[in-house]
Amino acid sequence: MELARRVASLKPSSTVAVTNRAKQLRRDGVDVLSFAAGEPDFDTPDRIKRAAIAAIEAGQTKYMPTLGDQDTRQAIADKLTSENGIPGLGFENVGISVGGKHSLFLAMHCLLDAPEPGAEADEVLLPVPSWVSYRPIAQLAGGRVVEIETNSADGFRLDPERVRSAITPRSRLLVLNSPSNPCGTMYSEADLRAIAGIVHEMRDVAPRLIVLTDEIYEKIVYGDTPHFSIGSVPEIADRVITLNGLSKAYAMTGWRVGYAAMPGDAGTQFVKAMGKLQGQMTTNIPAFIYPAIRTALAECADDVARMRDAFAERAGIIHGLVSAIPGVTCPRPTGAFYVFPDISAHFGKTTPKGARLDTALAFAEALLDEGLVAGVPGEDFGGCGARCMRLSFACSEEQIRAGIERLGAFIDSLR
Ligand code: PMP
Ligand code: GLU
């Protein structure tokens, strides 16, 4: 079967692939403990379910405006104004799409141009390690990804000066993700303000540069660093797209709700463009989900806090257990629900079945095959991720204890 080149050359999502593989093994009766999925193990809060069920029963089952009804878009604008301090937002500055991934896809396709023959591509500045989907989606939209390195020794901190050095006249997007998937760490308010200052100072060098900040883990925060939205910094607020969604904070991964927002007139134009593209893709998200979004935003702070407290507890447990394994170093997680340990001290060793572990991919495959633990190998997260493996702790404490014991035994068995 001949496929279009852009799809044939597209890298499949490794997070989705490992998650599906672990689920299939469990269905086949294999006792795998999976730390692969970036998905809360909690059920969606009842209030949210009831809002959707009531909407179905009331007949809200038809097409709706492509980017969402005005009330729901306004509710999101209000949330971003009051909770995140982002100025200049009305309903027309917000678009609702089929998950944060779809919002990201639309945003990148609205802003990046495939280069004209002979011209240079728009540059997407991407601090790495970062979530596996930013790079392929940016490339699919015609962008050229420029990685900005961080390292695990200093907790994957993004040095603002490295952002300065990466900016060129071709810079179009700076992608930020705090709390970070896969690092499990956050950027401080001071660093984000410094980055905003640099973007502002360098506006003559890079006049088309827009900051795209993915804040989907903003509510899953449990260290000393509070979440800070770079879109609230007045000097650059009208050049920031804030991306978010309900998947993580409200345990709504299967509902597929994401949104993007940008202030002012530029934001209105950008959101309109998203609507044009979405109108040729999916039209609106399912109609009966809009009331559920409003319920989640207005009434579910206690559910969010309950889940966050559970993640905080697990973060401490998994970090302690993983860090105690010889040859494994792991920054302390302060947000999201991942640890991203460096396992490269074990590269070059061999497993009892004879597999040689030269890469994170080989390590993760052997760990699944021989140790019955699923984690995502770090290569596709970029940069120093190639020395790491991502473990999601969106699972029970019992599973964390049993799984990390298996990881320790697997490492102990290497020669
Ligand atoms: N951003 C990050 C950093 C993520 O980890 C995810 C999880 N898939 C998303 C965006 C998108 O999530 P969703 O499409 O479920 O909203
Ligand atoms: N974001 C989650 C993860 O990183 C879900 C899978 C995906 O969309 O990548 O595992």
Side-chain angles (χ1 to χ4, degrees):
M1 171 64 184
E2 190 182 316
L3 295 171
R5 277 196 303 279
R6 70 176 170 281
V7 176
S9 63
L10 183 66
K11 205 162 183 12
S13 162
S14 54
T15 50
V16 174
V18 182
T19 303
N20 289 345
R21 181 148 173 241
K23 279 187 183 157
Q24 186 58 48
L25 283 168
R26 281 197 77 84
R27 274 197 294 273
D28 295 345
V30 184
D31 167 36
V32 167
L33 295 179
S34 179
F35 294 83
E39 165 163 82
D41 53 324
F42 299 103
D43 196 6
T44 303
D46 263 348
R47 276 175 281 215
I48 299 176
K49 290 183 185 172
R50 282 201 302 272
I53 292 166
I56 293 176
E57 287 176 347
Q60 188 162 325
T61 55
K62 307 287 196 220
Y63 289 131
M64 300 273 286
T66 300
L67 291 176
D69 62 297
Q70 189 168 324
D71 285 354
T72 311
R73 292 169 74 190
Q74 186 63 50
I76 292 171
D78 292 345
K79 174 251 181 263
L80 291 169
T81 307
S82 62
E83 285 184 14
N84 304 83
I86 300 172
L89 295 177
F91 77 89
E92 65 280 18
N93 299 91
V94 174
I96 304 170
S97 307
V98 190
K101 199 183 278 184
H102 187 213
S103 302
L104 176 75
F105 190 101
L106 293 167
M108 288 192 163
H109 278 75
C110 286
L111 296 175
L112 299 170
D113 252 329
E116 302 280 330
E120 284 178 67
D122 285 333
E123 288 172 357
V124 177
L125 310 183
L126 183 63
V128 287
S130 68
W131 179 42
V132 294
S133 287
Y134 297 126
R135 169 185 281 277
I137 294 176
Q139 288 174 336
L140 203 56
R144 188 173 85 80
V145 173
V146 177
E147 293 193 344
I148 306 178
E149 301 272 344
T150 69
N151 63 67
S152 69
D154 60 8
F156 304 107
R157 173 174 178 262
L158 175 59
D159 178 353
E161 288 310 313
R162 289 199 163 207
V163 176
R164 188 194 300 278
S165 327
I167 292 176
T168 74
R170 301 295 314 162
S171 302
R172 182 60 168 141
L173 284 178
L174 166 63
V175 178
L176 300 175
N177 172 222
S178 177
S180 156
N181 171 9
C183 305
T185 52
M186 299 171 63
Y187 301 146
S188 68
E189 176 175 340
D191 281 347
L192 287 165
R193 285 192 184 279
I195 291 166
I198 289 167
V199 169
H200 183 56
E201 271 163 53
M202 295 190 72
R203 61 194 179 286
D204 294 335
V205 176
R208 297 166 66 241
L209 178 59
I210 285 175
V211 178
L212 196 162
T213 168
D214 177 350
E215 304 189 357
I216 201 158
Y217 294 100
E218 66 166 337
K219 296 204 181 281
I220 306 175
V221 160
Y222 35 80
D224 300 331
T225 315
H227 173 76
F228 178 75
S229 290
I230 193 168
S232 67
V233 179
E235 291 77 19
I236 62 157
D238 60 351
R239 294 169 67 192
V240 178
I241 296 168
T242 301
L243 195 127
N244 206 326
L246 271 57
S247 287
K248 317 289 175 173
Y250 300 93
M252 289 175 70
T253 47
W255 294 66
R256 314 306 304 130
V257 180
Y259 58 86
M262 189 182 191
D265 289 345
T268 312
Q269 286 171 37
F270 162 72
V271 168
K272 263 197 189 137
M274 284 182 69
K276 187 158 80 165
L277 187 51
Q278 182 163 322
Q280 297 289 24
M281 290 179 92
T282 57
T283 312
N284 55 286
I285 69 167
F288 43 84
I289 291 180
Y290 294 115
I293 298 175
R294 298 196 296 273
T295 300
L297 296 180
E299 296 174 32
C300 295
D302 51 347
D303 294 297
V304 170
R306 170 178 52 82
M307 293 187 268
R308 195 229 14 253
D309 290 350
F311 289 129
E313 176 89 23
R314 296 168 188 178
I317 294 170
I318 195 166
H319 179 253
L321 294 172
V322 169
S323 306
I325 299 175
V328 176
T329 51
C330 184
R332 173 177 288 279
T334 54
F337 36 64
Y338 308 102
V339 282
F340 201 48
D342 183 327
I343 37 108
S344 63
H346 299 291
F347 288 178
K349 295 186 179 172
T350 304
T351 69
K353 281 194 186 168
R356 197 180 145 90
L357 308 184
D358 285 329
T359 60
L361 180 61
F363 187 99
E365 280 181 346
L367 178 63
L368 181 55
D369 185 36
E370 300 182 36
L372 298 180
V373 169
V376 183
E379 283 90 344
D380 288 353
F381 298 98
C384 69
R387 297 199 296 272
C388 304
M389 185 177 65
R390 191 189 79 176
L391 300 170
S392 156
F393 50 87
C395 58
S396 68
E397 187 181 321
E398 195 188 355
Q399 176 172 326
I400 292 172
R401 292 191 186 282
I404 305 310
E405 196 176 321
R406 286 187 192 183
L407 172 64
F410 171 78
I411 287 181
D412 199 38
S413 75
L414 302 176
R415 291 294 169 262

